[in-house]
Amino acid sequence: MNRSSIDYAMQHTRVLYVPDRRIDSFGDTRFNFRLVSEPMDEVGVCRIRSGWVEANRPRILRPADLRGIETEGFSADAARFFEWMEARGARLKALFEYGFRFGRSDVSEELVHDAPAEVAERVVKESLSSGDPFRAVIAGVDDAWEVSLLYFMMEMIQKSHEINIFDFRRRGLL
């Protein structure tokens, strides 16, 4: 995947249904995602990927030269995503120093013969009625769906930031 593919995915990814929960300050957090995308070579078809994406605190403290963001279950494109983010001025130093780990698992997919907007609307309605506080619905780019998934995780990190800072201050860590 090249930088223009990542650019395209970042510009066209939208989080349609945001989970009620945020990323835990001191533990692991798993989100149950539905990612809706339209294959580039088929008209009137939508792909729905379902699975889990997680943000984990490091299991062990690592020396500075071995710190970084780990991605488990993602392709090599995930590393390119973080390089792309840094090249555009994203401040990822805290993620790298902390040794954050992202993972994805239990991914399944199905093809649905319907308009993407209608499929996305149905998936959001299902998520609303599920009552799952960890459910997320993402509209993404089919060929770069992992980038769309990581975009969602970065958005959740930003939404969790204030809560995490409060937790760190409350425990005297800041």
Side-chain angles (χ1 to χ4, degrees), residues 20-174:
D20 292 335
R21 299 296 306 257
R22 298 293 182 250
I23 293 178
D24 188 18
S25 302
F26 301 105
D28 300 338
T29 306
R30 286 176 45 122
F31 295 108
N32 184 354
F33 73 87
R34 303 291 182 272
L35 194 141
V36 179
S37 60
E38 185 177 14
M40 298 296 245
D41 56 351
E42 295 183 62
V43 177
V45 174
C46 236
R47 187 181 326 269
I48 303 172
R49 288 183 175 88
S50 302
W52 293 92
V53 64
E54 47 196 274
N56 301 314
R57 68 188 192 297
R59 300 288 181 237
I60 58 171
L61 294 176
R62 296 178 290 179
D65 58 336
L66 295 178
R67 290 182 186 160
I69 298 173
E70 291 182 35
T71 54
E72 183 178 316
F74 283 91
S75 68
D77 293 333
R80 287 188 199 92
F81 167 79
F82 291 111
E83 291 167 5
W84 180 92
M85 293 282 291
E86 279 198 310
R88 276 154 186 73
R91 293 181 288 169
L92 302 177
K93 185 179 178 200
L95 289 178
F96 283 113
E97 285 182 355
Y98 188 60
F100 230 88
R101 204 177 105 215
F102 295 104
R104 71 167 175 85
S105 59
D106 302 326
V107 176
S108 64
E109 61 180 62
E110 67 177 298
L111 286 176
V112 177
H113 295 274
D114 214 342
E118 292 175 17
V119 172
E121 187 177 325
R122 273 198 312 269
V123 173
V124 168
K125 282 182 183 176
E126 289 171 11
S127 297
L128 279 166
S129 65
S130 76
D132 182 352
F134 293 99
R135 175 75 61 94
V137 179
I138 307 150
V141 175
D142 196 58
D143 292 341
W145 71 275
E146 287 183 320
V147 171
S148 296
L149 192 56
L150 289 168
Y151 172 92
F152 159 73
M153 290 303 287
M154 295 303 289
E155 193 168 289
M156 290 307 298
I157 288 169
Q158 289 174 340
K159 289 182 184 305
S160 304
H161 178 75
E162 286 186 32
I163 295 167
N164 298 147
I165 294 295
F166 174 78
D167 288 344
F168 278 99
R169 282 191 178 127
R170 186 178 57 173
R171 291 192 182 185
L173 300 171
L174 285 180

